[in-house]
Amino acid sequence: MLVWASIVAIDPMTAVIGGYGQLGTAGEAVLNWSNYVALGDSLTAGRDDHGPGGVRIGWARRLAGILTARTEVPCALTNLAADGASVAVVLERQLPSVAQMGPDLVSVTVGMNDIRDPAFSEERFATELGRLLDGLTTTGATVLTCTLPDIAAIMSLPADLVELARQRMRRASDIIREQAARRGAVCLDAWAMPGAADPELFGPDRIHPNASGHQLMADAFAALLLTDGAPDRRSS
């Protein structure tokens, strides 16, 4: 599944990832993370991004690597994401494990599996996403999420379903932005992101990103976190 606090739409190909520092003095902003827990669907699970031996990599692992390299603070990743997960599945099966892990960074990607359900309800999706983000924010960690990209035109869909898919992606993205903004989460806006629907960034099914797509997403999240896109975490 592909699926970005709707702070700003940036072009990750030109974003400068920098301006951070090893900060620890009282009152200074903290721009490093050491305990990252990722939740979500097949996007975060790394489908179609394979390393040696077919082992999945994925944008979350790539992001942890970028943060480690840029901040010089090792960022350990625990990835709970699973293929096919909807927001309800993440709530039931993934969220309960997070608090005990004590993360300082959490992420969640959901929405594509929800909108593919013929019984998709905007109201139910908004309610469940709100509960999910509430559960993540109570950990005190920096929370990341993302909207769905505008990929209906490149998917293998019957012509009469393209516009329906696009409408659902757009509305789900609106809901993700709204729910994230209410809670101060960092939301990467894939819907408005230049180049996010480039077919060259996707695998054969034109739904899941390939290695280049996962890297672009990791770079974009890193740019938000390491500039002024993340909430102000200050050392004590």
Side-chain angles (χ1 to χ4, degrees):
M1 126 81 237
L2 171 49
V3 290
W4 330 71
S6 183
I7 294 174
V8 61
I10 63 170
D11 184 347
M13 303 304 292
T14 59
V16 176
I17 303 176
Y20 66 90
Q22 290 266 35
L23 303 179
T25 304
E28 291 186 336
V30 176
L31 291 179
N32 58 64
W33 298 265
S34 61
N35 187 3
Y36 173 21
V37 178
L39 297 80
D41 46 35
S42 56
L43 174 63
T44 298
R47 182 167 170 176
D48 282 357
D49 182 10
H50 300 291
V55 176
R56 288 183 177 185
I57 303 175
W59 71 268
R61 182 173 169 186
R62 292 175 181 274
L63 174 60
I66 294 171
L67 295 178
T68 295
R70 297 287 183 174
T71 69
E72 299 182 0
V73 173
C75 181
L77 169 67
T78 301
N79 197 335
L80 303 177
D83 291 2
S86 63
V87 63
V89 168
V90 176
L91 268 170
E92 178 182 353
R93 302 180 187 175
Q94 299 177 25
L95 179 62
S97 302
V98 175
Q100 64 190 24
M101 296 179 180
D104 52 15
L105 179 65
V106 294
S107 67
V108 61
T109 57
V110 288
M112 191 66 78
N113 294 309
D114 295 271
I115 67 168
R116 295 170 71 181
D117 183 346
F120 173 67
S121 163
E122 294 181 9
E123 293 75 16
R124 183 174 67 249
F125 180 66
T127 297
E128 293 179 337
L129 180 61
R131 287 174 53 204
L132 175 55
L133 292 175
D134 283 341
L136 294 178
T137 56
T138 60
T139 66
T142 300
V143 179
L144 310 179
T145 191
C146 63
T147 67
L148 307 185
D150 184 9
I151 59 170
I154 69 169
M155 295 171 65
S156 298
L157 291 172
D160 59 338
L161 293 182
V162 171
E163 187 54 33
L164 174 61
R166 191 167 195 270
Q167 289 174 1
R168 287 192 174 185
M169 289 178 192
R170 179 192 294 115
R171 185 56 191 137
S173 293
D174 289 342
I175 292 169
I176 293 168
R177 289 189 204 95
E178 292 163 2
Q179 296 297 322
R182 290 178 186 177
R183 294 159 178 86
V186 178
C187 182
L188 186 58
D189 196 348
W191 182 269
M193 192 174 177
D198 183 346
E200 295 299 316
L201 297 176
F202 293 85
D205 65 5
R206 291 294 187 265
I207 297 175
H208 299 90
N210 56 25
S212 296
H214 279 277
Q215 185 64 55
L216 181 137
M217 188 172 177
D219 289 342
F221 265 129
L224 285 176
L225 285 171
L226 296 173
T227 56
D228 60 357
D232 187 12
R233 294 167 60 238
R234 295 183 180 273
S235 59
S236 58

